[in-house]
Every structure is written in C-alpha cells, then in structure tokens.
Amino acid sequence: MSEKGHPKLKQCDPTNRRITELPPLGMETKAIADDFRRYFAHTLGRDDHCKSSHYPYKALALALRDRLIERWKTTRRAYEESDCKRTFYLSLEFLMGRALSNTMLNLDLTQQSYKALYDLGVSLEEIRESEPDAGLGNGGLGRLAACFLDSCASLRLPVRGYGLRYEYGMFRQHIANGQQIEDPDHWLRDGNPWELERPEYVQRIKFGGRVEQGRDASGRLHIRWVDTHDVLAVPYDIPIPGYRNNTVNTLRLWKAAATDEFDLEEFHAGGYTEAVKKKNDAENITMVLYPNDASENGKELRLRQQYFLASASIKDVIREWHESHQDFSEFAEKNCFQLNDTHPSISVAELMRQLMDEQHLGWDDAWAITSHTMAYTNHTLLPEALERWPVRLFQQLLPRLLEIIYEINARFLAQVAQHWPGDTDRLRRISIIEEGHEPMVRMAYLAIVGSFSINGVAALHTQLLTAGLFHDFYELWPERFNNKTNGVTPRRWLAACNPGLRELITKSIGDDWIANLPEISQIEKLADSRVFRRKWRDIKQTNKQRLAAMVKADCDVEFNPESLFDVQVKRIHEYKRQLLNILHVIHLYNRIRAGDTANWTNRCVLIGGKAAPGYVMAKLIIKLINNVARVVNNDPDVGDKLKVAFIPNYRVSAMEVIAPGTDLSEQISTAGKEASGTGNMKFMMNGAVTIGTLDGANIEIMEEVGKKNFFLFGLTATEVDTQRIHYDPNRIIDNDADFRQVMQLLECGYFNQFEPGRFDTIIESIRNPYDPWMTAADFRSYVEAQQRAAEAYQDQEQWLRMSIINSARSGRFSTDRTMQEYNRDIWRMQPVAPLPLTLADP
Ligand SMILES: *Cc1c(COP(=O)(O)O)cnc(C)c1O
C-alpha cells in the first residue's frame, strides 16, 4: 500500500463524514440479547465460567447505554437547533442510586431485558444487586435533585444538572457493638458504565493568587486575577432518560485534575515529591462528599468544592453559548441557573466575574444578566446549615470573588438605605458581610440579593422563611419569594420499586398514571371492592416478606409479616426525633412487661439512617436504638409482640425495598424544623399511612388524605414557639406515669448494663428545659396517636382502605407537578421534542 493511502480510493473527503449515520438499534429481545452477549464475551472478554455477576450487569448496562446514547444525541440536536431557553440545575449533591432498573423502565425495555437474560440462563434479579448506588448526596436534598432530573426529562424540559463527581460518595455504614462505623464508599472502583468522559470540554479553574488592576491604551480598567494555582475540571456526562419519550437529558459531573504543567517547575528543581503533593491537592477537590446533612462545618476544602462547581459549570454554559451566539444580549432570556440550596451560591459572584473579567461586559450589563438568570432554592430553617465563610479565607482563596461580593454588597446596602433611611440596625442585619471579630460572608444573603426567584420547599417552610429567617428581604422584595412543594418521581418510587402494585394499578386503570400521577386517584373508588382490597393486601404482604428478608439478612432480627411494620428511615438528626420513636418503643416494652397487652397489636419497629461522623449526639442515638433493640428482641416474654431493628447503611436502593413494605410511616420532626420531607411522600405513594406532626409537607399530605387517614399528633410550629418560653420537661415527665416509667428504665441503666452512664447526655437532653426539639412536649400525644394506629391496624379492611386512599391521593407529590410549577413560575421554558431517531439524509 502506498504511503498516501489506499491505491484504489480517491483522497478522503472530511466534509462528507458520516460515521454516525446509523440505523436505530433494535428494541426487541433478540437485539438486546445479541448486544448483551457481544459485550459480555468480546468487549468484557468473559466466558461461561465467569461466576461474578458484575460482568453480566456491566454487559447489560452497556447494551442499554447504546440505546440511551442514540436518544441523547437526538435530544441534544433538538435543543441546539431550536435555540431554546435552558435551565442549569446546580447542586453539590445528586443522590442518584442505581440506574439499571430506571433505565429499563424509562426505555420500556424491562420485559425484553428479563427475557433476553433469562434465555441465556442469567437472572436479572441477581445481577441488579451488583450495581453500586451512586451515593453522591447526603439525603433528601440530593435525592430531590435526582428526582427533578427524572421529571424534567419526562416533561421534555431542557434542563441539565451540574454536580461533582466525588471519588468517594456517602460513606457506607455498618454497626459494631451498636455503634456506627463509617467505611469509605469507593463506588467507582469497578468502573461506571453509565458515564461518558468528555475531556474535550475540560475547564481551567483558578484559586488563590492576587488581583491586578491596570488600564489599557484607551483608559479602560482591566482586572486580572494572576499568580493563581489552577485546577482542571474534567466533565463526565450521565444520561438522564425521560419516561418513554425518547428524551435523554444530561447530568454533567466535574472531576478535578492537576494541570499538565503542575510538575514541571518543581520537578526540574528537584522537588518531585512536592510536585506530586500539589497534584494530589488539586485532585482532592472532588475526592470526597462532605457527609453532613443540614449542617456546615466551615472547611476550606468545602469552599473549594463549591467554587469549583460554580466556576466550571458557568464556564461550560458560556462556552456553549458562544457556539451559536455573537453576544450576551439574549443570554438572560435564554438561560437560567437554579441553585439547589445555599451550597452553590458563589455562582452569583462567579457569573459576574466571568461576564466582566473574561467576557468584558460592564458592571451594569453583567448585573442585569446575573440577577435575571439566578434563582435560589432554600432547603432549611436551621441556622447551622447556612454557610458563612470567613472573609479572611475568601481573601486567600478567591480574592477576586471577594472584591465582587463587596461591590454587590455596597450597591445593595445603598438600596436598603434608600428604602429605610436611617435604619442602621437593619443595614447591619441584612448586610452580606457580617461584621465582628471575625467578619464573615453570609452566602445565603448573596444568593438572595443575586436571584430573581427565592423559593422554599413546602408551604409551611416558605411561610416560615418569609416571616423569620429572610423577613428583611421579604419586606424589600416580596415578589421574589415563592413556594414550590417538593415531590418524588413516581417512576422510581412506585412503578420501578413496587412491581406488584404497579401491575395491580395498571390492570385496574391503565398505565397513564406513571407519566401523570394524579390519574392514580381513580383507584380510590376500588377501595370499596373486597376483591381489590384482597389483591392490595397480598401485594403488601409480599413486599413485607421482601423487607423482612432484608431485615433478617442485615440485622439478624425476625420480622413477622403479620405484624404492623412501623418504619422511620432518614438521616439521624435530633430535629427528626428518632429519640421520640425509641421512647415510644420503651413505653411499649414497659406495657408488655406489665402485662398490659389486652387487644395488643404486634409491631415491628424499623429505624435506619446515617449520622454525620462528627455528630456525637446522633451517633449516641443510634447506639441507644441498638441497645434497646438487643434487650427487647432477646426478652422471651416479648416474642412477636414487639421487634426492633436498626437497618444499617440506609440508602436509595434500601428505600426501594423499605417503602413498599411499610405500613406506618414515621414523620415525627419537631414542627417548624423539617423543611418538607420527601421520604413521607415515597411511603404515602406505596400505601403506607403516616403518623406525623404538622411539619413540612406532612401538612399538605394530611390536606390530601384528611385527618381520618393520617395519625396526627404534637404541637404546631406556632405552639412550639409559644410554649418554648415556659417549657418544663421535668414537670411533663412527673405528671405522666408512662413517661416516668420510660425515664426510670433509661435512668437505671437498663439498656446499658455494662456501660454505665453511656446515655446520660440523651437523658439530660430530654430533661433540658432548653431542649430545642422539645421531645418531651409531644410524648403523650405521640403515644396516643400510636395507640390509635395500633387499634386501626386491627381492623384490616379499614386499614386497607386507608392504605389505598393514601396511594390514590399522592398525585400532588410527583416531581412532575413540582417541575411544572418551577417551569411555570421561574424557568418559563417550552418543552422541546427530540429529533426523530431515524435520521433522514442530512
Ligand atoms: C428520600 C430519601 C431521603 C429523605 O428522607 P426524609 O425522610 O425526607 O428525610 C434520605 N435518604 C434517602 C436514601 C432517601 O431515599
């Protein structure tokens, strides 16, 4: 062959490239089976001796991914060609869980995949368990982001998620001697078939250095951020399929990498190990997810993560904007950034910086764009969760950003001073910079000042925000505040995780409810049919058996599926009051010991959740739960009357088994503290009845199902505030014989026989008049609500009616509704259909 190419072919014409002009891939069983075998045998190089289920899992994932990628491209092209408005969802957390079942459901390939593998002697059930959870989040906030992406794709909304590709996600929890042990979660160890590296879109992110001012020949001020220590941001894309609509959106996760020249200078100077250390420092940025839920710990690396996400994502959006636009005149009309909590709020200053210093816009133009594209979602009223960074740290790490924040603040305070002349107290309160011995930047305030929309996540939460935490801002800009009650995706949280119920509902009313959850209300009329109730019960029993098997395997505790399954799973936090739950368990134990068991309802209490590694009290509560469980489960007089288990390593894939198998959902936070809750919605959808306080979205759940189908108890948020002043837990305990006995058992060390004093701080917290969570205040009313639930469970037909009604009225809690509201009020985009899969001649 000649040097110049193939002798018989003319010069290749690169303008006539047609590599990707391919016929669509088959969606039938045979096509899936063929691809599965090719990936397994050829790409992965395995044979039938291979025992590990990891390879069949990976082969199926690759076969499905091909189908995703086809649709990904036609979606992307439709967005490009229509030049549509887009939204970018910025979040430090995406708690995605597993992708396999969701992909099969949304592509409508579940049956074909089962059949293909079955014919080859492979059990899909088994290989599903090989997929590690993508645990890139702590709890509700991160899971919400994941549900939002599913709904946006299902509604054909052009929304892209931006996040960080943590090498280590949420730690794995195991229990030893009743205590939480944290193990690193190296979820990427065996590779991730769902991601696609995009090195072509790498970005360079600046840290440190100093700011230089200069004027050019025409006298224009130029600002240069120099002598920086740069880090590369490498994007990895994850496909987000819509439900059976051929749309595939993108979650883009950034990985930190050292710049190429990191080592040269120092390497040549003989500082090899120092050079490698610097490389490690760079790559550390995305090494690990901070495992704190609803609290900040003020670490510099965390600020680095936040800026890294903001800077890389905004650069990426501007890069793409330049591909099809000359200037920024239409930028604000066509782009929106939704900030998932305060974590990414540095984006406000970073967009200003990029528009001014890199795109050469003036302040006013840059501000007009920023303040019309940023929107902020607040997720909590707990002050310890709102990040405040020392000005000193900002100066060191992000000097140019600090300058911009000072300027934003100066202009903002001038506006406030005009609005309330002479009100210096208000100026001090509302300033983005908190003065004091150690001046701080209040990041939530930066987010508010820079955003055109500020929303809370449930009606009560938004009301409390505007009346309390953000009241000064609300008085200034009432029109910016709005509520968007959270939801969960009915695809993962009902259709995929509860196949029994999915089939029953679909056989009864068709399958429209999967894409339009309010349709599920049609099953309510069937609550009166005995036959339907029988089927509903059989499915619940099967799901309870599945859950009992998991409890047996993970906790070595026997749950009898005939008992009431009473479940509280969520992050361990004092405001969520797992402690109140365990006090009730001790009370039930006392009743059994006293022989007070007439008309008893057998009950299995399941509690699960991770504690932040530095949260001493939360970890002690885990220890107490486990100690109480050991005593109760080993007491021969108790038997099936009461079982208690702490399920280790609560995560998305565990919840997919837990929610369908639950009868009673515990949502018992101190009123006014839980912003929304979403676990409550997953349980409701799967036919659990709630026992709960008037907090967060519980209020809206109760509005839907009515008091008759909800076990309500406890103080209201207003009562919590008014009664706090003269709160006297010791008097409450003294006046309540049951409570007294519970405290006696705790205080005599009954649950810590060989660990004297172990639970003293818990006992003190219950008896403390300044207990912020007012656990004792709700004890009596909680015990009574639990008694009503126990009695209700004895009337199985009535309980089944309640269960059906809870599912039937869960339509409002789909993230499809939530996303439609965000889009209607904040994003204002048109849905965009993907191009057809069968590409016509280009
Ligand atoms: C839904 C979910 C949460 C949120 O639960 P809440 O009860 O709302 O706090 C947390 N973690 C996981 C794994 C979840 O699936």
Side-chain angles (χ1 to χ4, degrees):
M1 205 198 283
S2 87
E3 291 266 306
K4 292 215 163 143
H6 195 282
K8 299 211 180 103
L9 294 179
K10 288 186 296 184
Q11 182 75 41
C12 172
D13 174 9
T15 62
N16 191 29
R17 260 212 190 174
R18 353 175 15 140
I19 305 170
T20 56
E21 228 176 81
L22 287 160
L25 295 167
M27 302 293 275
E28 71 286 358
T29 303
K30 180 171 185 312
I32 303 293
D34 289 349
D35 285 1
F36 170 78
R37 299 176 87 170
R38 190 165 39 79
Y39 279 119
F40 183 81
H42 295 160
T43 307
L44 301 174
R46 306 293 134 170
D47 58 28
D48 286 331
H49 299 301
C50 173
K51 291 282 178 293
S52 157
S53 55
H54 168 71
Y55 295 99
Y57 152 66
K58 207 161 187 174
L60 179 59
L62 291 171
L64 295 170
R65 192 180 84 165
D66 288 349
R67 275 89 186 154
L68 287 170
I69 287 182
E70 282 186 304
R71 288 159 180 79
W72 214 352
K73 290 179 177 169
T74 52
T75 304
R76 194 154 48 219
R77 278 189 52 195
Y79 293 167
E80 281 164 16
E81 288 178 14
S82 65
D83 191 25
C84 56
K85 181 171 185 183
R86 295 183 183 209
T87 291
F88 306 100
Y89 196 79
L90 269 50
S91 179
L92 270 289
E93 300 186 16
F94 286 91
L95 191 49
M96 303 298 285
R98 291 174 175 159
L100 184 64
S101 296
N102 190 247
T103 303
M104 292 190 297
L105 175 73
N106 283 14
L107 291 182
D108 198 5
L109 285 173
T110 308
Q111 291 314 314
Q112 295 92 313
S113 303
Y114 263 96
K115 186 72 169 48
L117 269 61
Y118 180 88
D119 292 346
L120 296 169
V122 180
S123 151
L124 212 161
E125 292 298 346
E126 244 174 74
I127 71 167
R128 260 215 287 240
E129 296 299 312
S130 295
E131 180 174 8
D133 276 41
L136 309 184
N138 274 283
L141 172 151
R143 185 52 233 175
L144 184 78
C147 285
F148 278 10
L149 294 183
D150 180 83
S151 282
C152 288
S154 297
L155 294 165
R156 291 186 160 164
L157 294 175
V159 172
R160 181 186 299 159
Y162 277 111
L164 297 182
R165 184 179 176 275
Y166 301 106
E167 204 74 31
Y168 293 87
M170 191 58 206
F171 65 82
R172 269 202 283 272
Q173 176 196 57
H174 78 255
I175 303 296
N177 188 29
Q179 293 173 82
Q180 166 175 298
I181 310 289
E182 299 105 26
D183 305 317
D185 166 41
H186 197 189
W187 70 294
L188 292 167
R189 194 183 44 213
D190 299 324
N192 178 7
W194 305 108
E195 70 182 11
L196 201 67
E197 188 182 355
R198 303 311 284 298
E200 64 272 38
Y201 299 138
V202 67
Q203 293 290 353
R204 205 182 165 98
I205 311 302
K206 294 180 176 194
F207 289 99
R210 60 196 170 79
V211 180
E212 251 182 24
Q213 286 200 5
R215 289 186 190 275
D216 64 13
S218 59
R220 241 182 86 101
L221 191 64
H222 275 262
I223 299 214
R224 299 199 316 138
W225 183 7
V226 296
D227 296 341
T228 51
H229 301 280
D230 298 356
V231 179
L232 298 182
V234 184
Y236 287 72
D237 286 356
I238 295 177
I240 307 293
Y243 178 70
R244 300 185 186 179
N245 65 358
N246 284 341
T247 287
V248 176
N249 280 343
T250 302
L251 168 59
R252 182 160 285 177
L253 300 178
W254 299 101
K255 174 195 164 91
T259 53
D260 285 341
E261 67 268 29
F262 88 97
D263 51 355
L264 283 181
E265 246 172 75
E266 272 186 298
F267 181 76
H268 293 308
Y272 175 72
T273 47
E274 285 68 29
V276 173
K277 183 187 171 300
K278 278 196 180 155
K279 179 174 159 68
N280 273 326
D281 286 349
E283 299 186 342
N284 258 339
I285 292 178
T286 53
M287 195 55 68
V288 60
L289 166 79
Y290 274 89
N292 307 308
D293 188 66
S295 89
E296 273 302 321
N297 61 0
K299 290 278 159 53
E300 175 185 330
L301 183 58
R302 174 71 170 176
L303 178 57
R304 281 183 189 270
Q305 290 184 337
Q306 295 178 352
Y307 180 66
F308 183 75
L309 170 66
S311 185
S313 308
I314 293 171
K315 280 183 181 229
D316 195 51
V317 170
I318 290 178
R319 171 193 61 73
E320 213 172 299
W321 178 257
H322 280 311
E323 283 178 6
S324 51
H325 300 86
Q326 302 301 315
D327 58 35
F328 286 88
S329 53
E330 289 191 321
F331 188 86
E333 276 164 52
K334 297 224 158 154
N335 296 281
C336 186
F337 297 93
Q338 188 72 44
L339 308 177
N340 193 25
D341 212 7
T342 317
H343 316 145
S345 54
I346 187 69
S347 301
V348 169
E350 175 61 8
L351 180 56
M352 286 297 289
R353 188 192 69 79
Q354 289 187 28
L355 290 175
M356 294 190 301
D357 299 358
E358 295 180 0
Q359 308 297 327
H360 311 297
L361 269 63
W363 180 279
D364 292 338
D365 288 341
W367 184 250
I369 288 173
T370 302
S371 58
H372 287 90
T373 51
M374 291 285 164
Y376 164 53
T377 303
N378 174 277
H379 281 270
T380 173
L381 294 155
L382 304 181
E384 63 267 32
L386 299 181
E387 43 267 272
R388 295 148 64 251
W389 296 107
V391 165
R392 192 180 33 81
L393 177 62
F394 244 96
Q395 178 66 52
Q396 262 175 41
L397 198 64
L398 304 167
R400 177 57 181 145
L401 281 292
L402 184 62
E403 283 186 356
I404 291 170
I405 292 171
Y406 275 143
E407 183 64 24
I408 292 173
N409 196 38
R411 291 172 185 240
F412 166 60
L413 291 182
Q415 217 182 321
V416 176
Q418 213 169 43
H419 202 273
W420 288 287
D423 194 345
T424 51
D425 198 47
R426 192 185 295 260
L427 282 176
R428 184 188 50 72
R429 282 202 313 263
I430 210 170
S431 171
I432 297 172
I433 307 296
E434 181 181 309
E435 296 300 344
H437 173 64
E438 169 88 270
M440 306 284 261
V441 186
R442 296 163 164 158
M443 298 305 284
Y445 291 9
L446 176 65
I448 295 174
V449 172
S451 296
F452 68 92
S453 164
I454 301 135
N455 75 282
V457 292
L460 174 70
H461 172 232
T462 302
Q463 207 180 303
L464 294 173
L465 270 185
T466 55
L469 205 54
F470 297 156
H471 184 65
D472 286 325
F473 292 97
Y474 179 66
E475 286 197 323
L476 191 59
W477 299 311
E479 70 287 351
R480 291 193 192 183
F481 288 81
N482 62 93
N483 176 247
K484 296 287 168 283
T485 299
N486 284 166
V488 300
T489 170
R491 268 75 63 184
R492 180 178 298 263
W493 294 115
L494 183 51
C497 74
N498 199 339
L501 222 47
R502 177 191 66 221
E503 272 174 42
L504 176 62
I505 297 168
T506 297
K507 276 193 184 130
S508 309
I509 64 170
D511 70 355
D512 286 356
W513 62 274
I514 300 176
N516 185 16
L517 194 63
E519 290 289 317
I520 201 176
S521 67
Q522 293 177 62
I523 64 170
E524 183 161 343
K525 57 181 187 293
L526 299 168
D528 291 330
S529 150
R530 220 186 141 71
V531 179
F532 187 80
R533 288 203 303 272
R534 223 24 8 106
K535 291 178 181 162
W536 191 272
R537 192 204 58 183
D538 291 347
I539 292 159
K540 180 61 88 177
Q541 286 310 115
T542 305
N543 291 336
K544 287 172 78 170
Q545 281 162 11
R546 183 164 61 133
L547 175 53
M550 189 168 95
V551 170
K552 176 67 184 162
D554 294 353
C555 320
D556 198 25
V557 176
E558 306 266 1
F559 274 14
N560 182 343
E562 296 303 318
S563 304
L564 170 68
F565 278 20
D566 168 351
V567 179
Q568 184 177 25
V569 285
K570 47 183 76 245
R571 285 303 289 264
I572 309 293
H573 203 295
E574 288 163 282
Y575 86 79
K576 292 176 182 279
R577 294 200 298 193
Q578 283 90 0
L579 183 54
L580 182 59
N581 188 341
I582 207 71
L583 292 179
H584 171 248
V585 169
I586 298 170
H587 165 65
L588 290 181
Y589 180 57
N590 275 332
R591 281 186 56 193
I592 296 168
R593 295 196 319 152
D596 175 18
T597 55
N599 291 319
W600 188 263
T601 301
N602 291 347
R603 191 190 283 254
C604 297
V605 178
L606 185 65
I607 303 177
K610 292 171 185 172
Y615 191 169
V616 175
M617 187 59 111
K619 290 178 127 175
L620 193 58
I621 290 169
I622 292 177
K623 171 74 175 158
L624 176 61
I625 296 166
N626 280 297
N627 279 25
V628 170
R630 202 185 49 209
V631 169
V632 170
N633 298 336
N634 291 317
D635 187 331
D637 295 339
V638 175
D640 264 357
K641 291 192 184 67
L642 183 61
K643 290 282 182 222
V644 187
F646 184 90
I647 186 116
N649 203 28
Y650 174 57
R651 61 199 186 283
V652 171
S653 59
M655 185 54 160
E656 289 168 6
V657 178
I658 294 167
T662 295
D663 295 310
L664 187 63
S665 154
E666 299 270 352
Q667 307 299 336
I668 60 178
S669 53
T670 310
K673 300 298 176 190
E674 185 74 271
S676 161
T678 51
N680 47 5
M681 302 168 184
K682 299 167 200 166
F683 283 116
M684 177 200 199
M685 247 175 226
N686 285 279
V689 185
T690 303
I691 179 165
T693 49
L694 283 176
D695 200 14
N698 292 354
I699 295 173
E700 291 158 73
I701 288 175
M702 206 191 71
E703 274 171 22
E704 294 297 310
V705 300
K707 277 191 179 169
K708 284 190 320 196
N709 300 298
F710 189 106
F711 299 102
L712 177 66
F713 75 94
L715 301 179
T716 63
T718 317
E719 288 166 347
V720 164
D721 274 350
T722 55
Q723 296 191 24
R724 192 184 291 290
I725 318 158
H726 43 250
Y727 178 51
D728 186 353
N730 293 304
R731 205 202 58 219
I732 295 171
I733 294 164
D734 288 345
N735 293 331
D736 185 325
D738 292 335
F739 204 169
R740 244 177 11 239
Q741 282 171 23
V742 168
M743 293 307 289
Q744 264 162 23
L745 216 55
L746 265 177
E747 284 166 346
C748 78
Y750 195 88
F751 302 107
N752 49 304
Q753 306 259 338
F754 305 104
E755 305 161 283
R758 188 65 202 261
F759 299 123
D760 286 359
T761 53
I762 290 183
I763 293 162
E764 283 159 21
S765 77
I766 300 167
R767 291 191 172 277
N768 183 355
Y770 302 101
D771 170 17
W773 323 114
M774 295 173 73
T775 304
D778 283 343
F779 175 83
R780 176 46 45 194
S781 130
Y782 181 53
V783 167
E784 283 169 8
Q786 287 284 20
Q787 182 57 26
R788 294 200 302 277
E791 284 163 20
Y793 192 72
Q794 304 219 332
D795 184 347
Q796 275 292 301
E797 295 305 323
Q798 194 47 38
W799 186 277
L800 283 165
R801 279 200 184 83
M802 284 201 290
S803 171
I804 296 165
I805 287 173
N806 267 270
S807 278
R809 301 193 187 174
S810 65
R812 177 170 167 191
F813 303 105
S814 163
T815 34
D816 296 347
R817 187 270 311 151
T818 312
M819 292 297 85
Q820 277 161 336
E821 289 181 5
Y822 273 82
N823 191 44
R824 182 192 67 203
D825 300 341
I826 306 172
W827 305 337
R828 300 169 165 276
M829 300 182 294
Q830 293 301 320
V832 177
L835 298 182
L837 267 182
T838 41
L839 291 181
D841 292 335

